[in-house]
Amino acid sequence: MRVHIPKNKRVVQTYAKSLHNSVDIAKFKEDLKAAKNIAFLSGAGISSESGIPTFRGRGGYWRRYSAASLATPEAFKENPSLVWEFYHHRREVAAKAQPNKGHIAIAQYEAKHGKAKIITVVTQNVDSLHARAGTKNLVELHGSLFKTRCTKCNDVLVNTDNPICEALANKWAPGKDVVDSDIPVKSLPHCKKANCNGLLRPHIVWFGESLETPVFERADEAMSKCDVCLIIGTSSLVYPAAGFGPLAAARGAIVAEFNIEKTPATRSFTYYFGGPCAVTLPRVLND
Ligand code: BJW
Ligand code: ZN
């Protein structure tokens, strides 16, 4: 996406030296102080230091399958057993993980400044680590590993059962030679509502599926009204989330990116803070 960058905007490219660039950190801290409305947008990179693999990194594979190939409605229709095994594994990993200093810095910033400023955390992650760190005004754009949705009656429920059904007990091993279990559909998780018994699926937005309208609207409201936006640990490849930062920058918001690598969106942003966000976020958010 090409975006217009106003001439008077600072484009501070601070990759590599950024961890030591106290001038940029100090400038951005001043911007945060002056801001009335702050939006955070996070992606898989913020949870990588909690041990949760990113999508497009080396850890983006489970058995012989790319995560992206299993996160589709077509994969679930063709092989619900395989997709449930994959999500059972993801639930195990996320449940055992702990929020890291990046999640905690954001939650503490909200706790401290959330009365004086509007602060919204929009995450593409489905691992619940922002909520477990204590973030309150949270938009989970792509759903949650710990919610199910009935494919028949659409009922959405929080579900932290482990295993989620008996047939999935110990059926999640990730090794590339592990044989897929081929669990009969009748033994996979089913809806317990009276007279329904529909097959349950993870309440997650898969590729090609639309985001839930109220969820998208909350995120869009935060991103289109913020004066300062922090884009954290996302490859900025997956839409509509990938459009939020560049659109905020194009209307004049101050946008800071926190990532270990540059992304297609970096050039449209005001600041780039290179390095692991569990290090860079506490530096800019803590006093
Ligand atoms: C660190 C770090 C550290 C690492 N510190 N940083 C417009 C244009 C083009 C395409 C489309 C478009 N509109 C829609 C589309 C299609 C599609 C899409 O965007 N495809 C692209 C791949 C091109 N989008 C959709 O299908 C969306 N639906 C939609 O728009 O509906 C309307 C529609 C319907 C039908 C047709 C067309 C439109 C839905 C997208 C849902 C995405 N769902 C997933 C899977 C969830 C399943 C699950 O979790 O199991 O969500 S995809 C996957 O990518 C997951 C993530 O949330 C999402 C984003 O990934 P993220 O978070 O950026 O992770 P990575 O791995 O990519 O990047 C990690 C980053 O962290 C890297 O940059 C590292 O450098 C960095 N990092 N360690 C700081 N310590
Ligand atoms: Zn149902």
Side-chain angles (χ1 to χ4, degrees), residues 224-279:
S224 54
K225 296 211 172 130
C226 62
D227 349 285
V228 173
C229 177
L230 292 82
I231 305 285
I232 303 156
T234 176
S235 56
S236 290
L237 291 173
V238 176
Y239 286 84
F244 284 141
L247 287 171
R251 67 169 171 77
I254 293 164
V255 183
E257 183 179 48
F258 298 77
N259 203 309
I260 52 171
E261 290 174 356
K262 290 190 177 179
T263 71
T266 308
R267 68 176 58 220
S268 63
F269 296 155
T270 324
Y271 296 98
Y272 175 80
F273 293 111
C277 57
V279 175

Side-chain angles (χ1 to χ4, degrees), residues 13-35:
Q13 302 290 348
T14 57
Y15 185 56
K17 66 173 183 168
S18 67
L19 283 180
H20 313 286
N21 194 333
S22 54
V23 175
D24 292 334
I25 291 174
K27 276 187 198 158
F28 184 57
K29 280 185 156 192
E30 286 302 313
D31 293 332
L32 277 174
K33 212 177 198 175

Side-chain angles (χ1 to χ4, degrees), residues 77-112:
K77 198 169 172 201
E78 192 179 314
N79 195 340
S81 167
L82 183 69
V83 174
W84 261 121
E85 273 196 276
F86 169 61
Y87 279 98
H88 182 39
H89 171 63
R90 304 268 309 281
R91 284 161 63 99
E92 286 267 331
V93 172
K96 285 190 184 130
Q98 296 302 323
N100 64 51
K101 289 179 179 170
H103 300 104
I104 291 165
I106 294 172
Q108 288 178 343
Y109 187 84
E110 183 196 24
K112 190 163 176 193

Side-chain angles (χ1 to χ4, degrees), residues 150-155 190-193 196-200:
C150 176
T151 56
K152 200 165 150 192
C153 73
N154 284 325
D155 193 34
H190 277 74
C191 181
K192 294 195 174 75
K193 268 178 86 177
C196 182
N197 199 37
L199 177 63
L200 297 182

